[in-house]
Amino acid sequence: MGRITLDKVRKAFGDVQVIPPLDLTIEDGEFVVFVGPSGCGKSTLLRLIAGLEDVSGGQIRIDGQDATRVPPAKRRLAMVFQSYALYPHMSVRKNIAFPLRMAGLDKAEQDKRVNAAADVLNLTDYLDRRPGQLSGGQRQRVAIGRAIVREPAAFLFDEPLSNLDAALRVGMRLEISELHKRLKTTMVYVTHDQVEAMTMADKIVVLRAGHIEQVGSPLELYRAPRNLFVAGFIGSPKMNLIGGALAAQHDATTIGIRPEHIAVSTDAGDWHGTVGVSEHLGSDTFFHVTCEGIAEPVTVRVGGEVALHYGDSVWLTPDKSQIHRFDTEGLRIA
Amino acid sequence: MATQHSRSAARFMMAPAVILLLGWMLVPLTMTVWFSFTRYLPMRGDSIERGLEWVGFENYVRFIGSSSFWPSVQATLVIVGGVLAITVVLGVLLAILLDQPFWGQGIVRILVIAPFFVMPTVSALVWKNMMMDPVNGMLAHLWRFFGATPVSWLSEASVQSIILIVSWQWLPFATLILLTAIQSLDSEQLEAAEMDGAPVLSRFWHIVLPHLGRAITIVILIQTIFLLSIFAEIFVTTGGSFGTRTLTYLIFQRVVDSQNIGLGSAGGVYAIILANIVAIFLMRIVGKNLDK
Ligand SMILES: Nc1ncnc2c1ncn2[C@@H]1O[C@H](COP(=O)(O)OP(=O)(O)OP(=O)(O)O)[C@@H](O)[C@H]1O
Ligand SMILES: [Mg+2]
């Protein structure tokens, strides 16, 4: 079981309020991702849940029980740190066994659980090495191993993949998702990478300056961002946000249209413009088109390869049903 | 070819320093070894110009056969060991304390380091006259305040007193090195251990202490080299009596008090051998610790 409830949780460092009163429920077995720009308080929120920071106000409940003043070790939560925080003078086996040793389990049980975890994480060949002799991905797996042997109520991850290279990151992303499917334990995962958030989460919590901007499944956030911040944050490449007269035509202050919802034609369409820089990914091509009457270049996504070049004249047609409208406050108009 | 060229240039430029160092060390060493095989009593008119009488190993046999030799080795080891134990244990504790954020941290850190800048002679005098004097010393006042009879420290607990004085001088060094080592400990490791269910003492034992291992060996190595030759503290306080005559002090007495340079030189050679045994022993431990 691992249902975590935050009730008006608040955190201030001195006079600086980092987390204003915040309510959030994380259901048992859910994979929740906190996402937001750097410095928005994601780590702080995670550390509050872990008990590594004391709350300045409010209540944290784990499985319905008040855990606000419970020390970290007693919360039955396991954390994986960004720096892995492995114990450098201990072998991998000792690292993974450390929480079990602290819990006073006997040697046989320790070995059994360590071997099981090593099996799951493909670490069996490295058990007698020290962390210094492992690659980044292997260290990450040791850190995860140390977390899973405790059989915690929930896992907390603080940007666990940010020290890995892009290819390894994709691999580890899948491994963590798979681990979640297998263990069915609650996971709270912090990242500033919206791709990680979209691919892994059951539920995404978008944070800005300690505020929750929106909570929802990846597709809910993609389809119906509640405000301009979420609209700009979720989706890659970013949604085109257009103001001025064009937005007024749709009775809005700002309209948003995702690059994948714009059709390109060389002879007819709604908006006329010239092709700027294009980015060829093979599977897709992104064009940055400067349109008449639109301040910012419009990003367009086209499947496959398209024979358009710098300076070519094109017509863009947005899919009317996919236009997001926002009012003066930046909130979504239904 | 460039590298070979620059290598020989480097050798050429290093030569003066190397020659100076060699002379600095080799000349006294050779003279000591030479004197140790001769009868050299300046009071009886022996001198280098007149030629010294070669006596073979006589000085070595006499130095080791003297009833003061083994006690002096023992006193040396006890004092060095005692100071090491105190400075390392208190050094670790002080370093942990100084690492905590508290008001006035800067000033306290400077105060803790201060004893290191006091000359050994001065600090020994201060301890002897201000702290340990059986009539006017601070400790005597303290003892009388509690109705106890003041202890005459330097005669009744002479070895302990010397250990105390020397520890006071070397504690700052140990604290400083250990403090920098503690500051380099990744705080996430401690937090991870906390979440893994390790209480404060376990965290100290399993995380902090292993992290300090390397720094502790370095403190022990460097201090041992200097502690083997402490002199001023003994000269100023007990003058080598009451069981505080270390090997260094015994050599000094043989040369200066008994005016027997040959005998003293033989003692010097023994001291070199002892220091090397200790050094090899320590280097092995350090080497093992640095490998990790
Ligand atoms: N111990 C502290 N004392 C004072 N301010 C702090 C402390 N820890 C964090 N903060 C402040 O709280 C805010 C949120 O920090 P936090 O580390 O939670 O951000 P984050 O969302 O994790 O950012 P990143 O993505 O860069 O890791 C920042 O403005 C930071 O300066
Ligand atoms: Mg962070």
Side-chain angles (χ1 to χ4, degrees):
Chain A
M1 284 295 281
R3 183 172 196 266
I4 302 170
T5 316
L6 307 185
D7 192 1
K8 302 205 175 43
V9 166
R10 198 167 61 75
K11 178 67 186 176
F13 290 108
D15 297 336
V16 190
Q17 175 124 315
V18 176
I19 311 270
L22 175 149
D23 294 305
L24 180 69
T25 303
I26 296 163
E27 297 297 341
D28 182 36
E30 217 171 21
F31 197 119
V32 174
V33 174
F34 294 168
V35 66
S38 190
C40 69
K42 307 179 295 286
S43 298
T44 307
L45 194 56
L46 198 71
R47 292 166 58 83
L48 287 173
I49 296 174
L52 294 171
E53 302 277 359
D54 291 325
V55 296
S56 309
Q59 198 185 46
I60 297 173
R61 286 192 297 275
I62 298 175
D63 288 335
Q65 284 174 343
D66 184 5
T68 320
R69 303 274 163 234
V70 175
K74 300 263 159 64
R75 295 192 184 191
R76 296 180 302 121
L77 305 175
M79 185 145 164
V80 175
F81 292 85
Q82 182 175 356
S83 68
Y84 316 135
L86 300 178
Y87 312 129
H89 52 276
M90 296 182 200
S91 65
V92 169
R93 179 186 296 282
K94 289 224 172 101
N95 260 284
I96 299 179
F98 189 73
L100 304 175
R101 209 166 126 206
M102 288 297 119
L105 261 65
D106 63 55
K107 197 83 184 66
E109 176 69 19
Q110 282 184 25
D111 279 344
K112 207 181 95 202
R113 290 221 215 164
V114 170
N115 289 335
D119 215 31
V120 170
L121 296 164
N122 289 324
L123 283 171
T124 314
D125 295 340
Y126 308 106
L127 279 176
D128 295 315
R129 293 213 200 160
R130 281 170 192 275
Q133 301 163 319
L134 298 179
S135 73
Q138 290 163 344
R139 281 181 218 185
Q140 186 59 67
R141 282 206 286 268
V142 176
I144 294 174
R146 196 173 60 185
I148 60 178
V149 286
R150 292 177 54 200
E151 299 176 354
F155 291 97
L156 310 176
F157 294 91
D158 191 356
E159 306 208 21
L161 307 185
S162 57
N163 287 347
L164 303 180
D165 67 52
L168 207 52
R169 203 145 50 194
V170 175
M172 284 304 294
R173 206 162 78 194
L174 282 173
E175 280 187 40
I176 294 177
S177 293
E178 223 176 273
L179 196 69
H180 177 245
K181 294 273 177 306
R182 183 150 16 142
L183 299 176
K184 301 190 177 60
T185 313
T186 314
M187 292 191 175
V188 184
Y189 188 104
V190 164
T191 179
H192 58 245
D193 179 354
Q194 62 93 25
V195 178
E196 269 175 37
M198 293 296 282
T199 50
M200 300 170 85
D202 293 325
K203 183 158 99 183
I204 296 181
V205 178
V206 183
L207 291 167
R208 175 168 60 163
H211 281 283
I212 295 184
E213 294 288 326
Q214 189 170 3
V215 179
S217 72
L219 287 182
E220 275 166 28
L221 265 57
Y222 177 82
R223 291 201 194 108
R226 210 165 62 86
N227 55 31
L228 280 175
F229 179 78
V230 179
F233 201 83
I234 299 292
S236 170
K238 279 174 65 164
M239 183 190 281
N240 297 296
L241 296 171
I242 302 160
L246 217 69
Q249 282 173 19
H250 291 86
D251 298 324
T253 313
T254 313
I255 57 167
I257 179 80
R258 296 197 183 274
E260 51 269 43
H261 298 143
I262 301 177
V264 183
S265 157
T266 44
D267 37 54
D270 290 359
W271 306 335
H272 182 246
T274 23
V275 176
V277 175
S278 41
E279 296 168 294
H280 300 273
L281 300 184
S283 60
D284 295 301
T285 309
F286 303 143
F287 293 105
H288 300 271
V289 181
T290 315
C291 292
E292 293 154 14
I294 301 174
E296 302 267 314
V298 175
T299 312
V300 186
R301 172 180 183 167
V302 185
E305 287 171 52
V306 179
L308 281 176
H309 303 284
Y310 188 86
D312 285 358
S313 157
V314 287
W315 293 89
L316 305 181
T317 313
D319 178 347
K320 296 283 182 303
S321 65
Q322 298 289 353
I323 290 181
H324 306 264
R325 300 182 304 141
F326 301 96
D327 64 15
T328 42
E329 252 106 71
L331 291 176
R332 179 183 190 81
I333 303 170
Chain B
M1 290 326 266
T3 50
Q4 209 168 46
H5 205 85
S6 56
R7 213 177 291 151
S8 57
R11 277 206 197 116
F12 181 71
M13 283 189 259
M14 259 162 52
V18 172
I19 289 169
L20 191 73
L21 266 177
L22 266 182
W24 195 275
M25 295 174 55
L26 271 186
V27 171
L29 181 66
T30 332
M31 287 177 73
T32 307
V33 174
W34 176 34
F35 291 158
S36 70
F37 287 107
T38 62
R39 181 199 306 279
Y40 191 177
L41 299 163
M43 297 296 273
R44 290 208 334 210
D46 295 341
S47 78
I48 300 176
E49 293 87 55
R50 296 236 231 95
L52 298 169
E53 186 192 338
W54 187 265
V55 293
F57 281 94
E58 190 191 308
N59 285 326
Y60 286 91
V61 175
R62 265 185 62 196
F63 193 90
I64 232 180
S66 128
S67 61
S68 337
F69 177 71
W70 287 111
S72 77
V73 172
Q74 197 190 343
T76 310
L77 295 180
V78 167
I79 289 177
V80 171
V83 174
L84 285 179
I86 291 180
T87 48
V88 168
V89 171
L90 289 186
V92 170
L93 294 182
L94 261 178
I96 291 175
L97 214 63
L98 289 180
D99 191 39
Q100 313 294 323
F102 59 88
W103 191 83
Q105 200 174 36
I107 299 223
V108 172
R109 281 189 187 172
I110 290 173
L111 284 180
V112 166
I113 296 161
F116 204 48
F117 297 112
V118 180
M119 279 178 280
T121 329
V122 176
S123 86
L125 276 173
V126 167
W127 274 94
K128 180 187 180 186
N129 297 322
M130 247 179 73
M131 303 299 290
M132 292 175 164
D133 189 276
V135 181
N136 287 320
M138 300 279 261
L139 294 175
H141 283 298
L142 192 72
W143 254 241
R144 254 179 255 128
F145 179 79
F146 286 108
T149 326
V151 182
S152 59
W153 293 99
L154 291 171
S155 49
E156 286 169 33
S158 47
V159 175
Q160 291 91 320
S161 303
I162 301 264
I163 292 179
L164 179 66
I165 295 172
V166 179
S167 299
W168 181 78
Q169 283 173 29
W170 282 92
L171 186 55
F173 172 77
T175 308
L176 210 61
I177 300 240
L178 294 171
L179 177 61
T180 50
I182 273 193
Q183 283 171 337
S184 73
L185 176 59
D186 177 12
S187 65
E188 285 197 346
Q189 263 179 49
L190 286 176
E191 288 175 345
E194 192 179 349
M195 294 212 61
D196 282 345
V200 179
L201 277 182
S202 301
R203 289 205 292 271
F204 173 76
W205 186 253
H206 292 294
I207 313 293
V208 179
L209 216 51
H211 176 76
L212 288 182
R214 199 177 287 194
I216 289 175
T217 30
I218 286 170
V219 165
I220 290 180
L221 181 67
I222 293 179
Q223 283 199 15
T224 308
I225 291 167
F226 284 92
L227 292 178
L228 279 173
S229 60
I230 49 165
F231 176 79
E233 295 84 346
I234 300 171
F235 184 76
V236 169
T237 53
T238 61
S241 39
F242 311 115
T244 59
R245 189 189 295 154
T246 59
L247 195 54
T248 316
Y249 205 84
L250 182 67
I251 295 166
F252 163 77
Q253 284 188 335
R254 290 290 183 258
V255 173
V256 177
D257 294 355
S258 330
Q259 287 287 313
N260 191 338
I261 295 180
L263 190 59
S265 299
V269 174
Y270 278 126
I272 294 169
I273 294 170
L274 177 71
N276 273 295
I277 292 174
V278 175
I280 289 170
F281 182 67
L282 285 172
M283 288 307 261
R284 286 212 143 166
I285 306 178
V286 174
K288 225 180 252 164
N289 252 337
L290 295 187
D291 273 350
K292 283 180 190 169

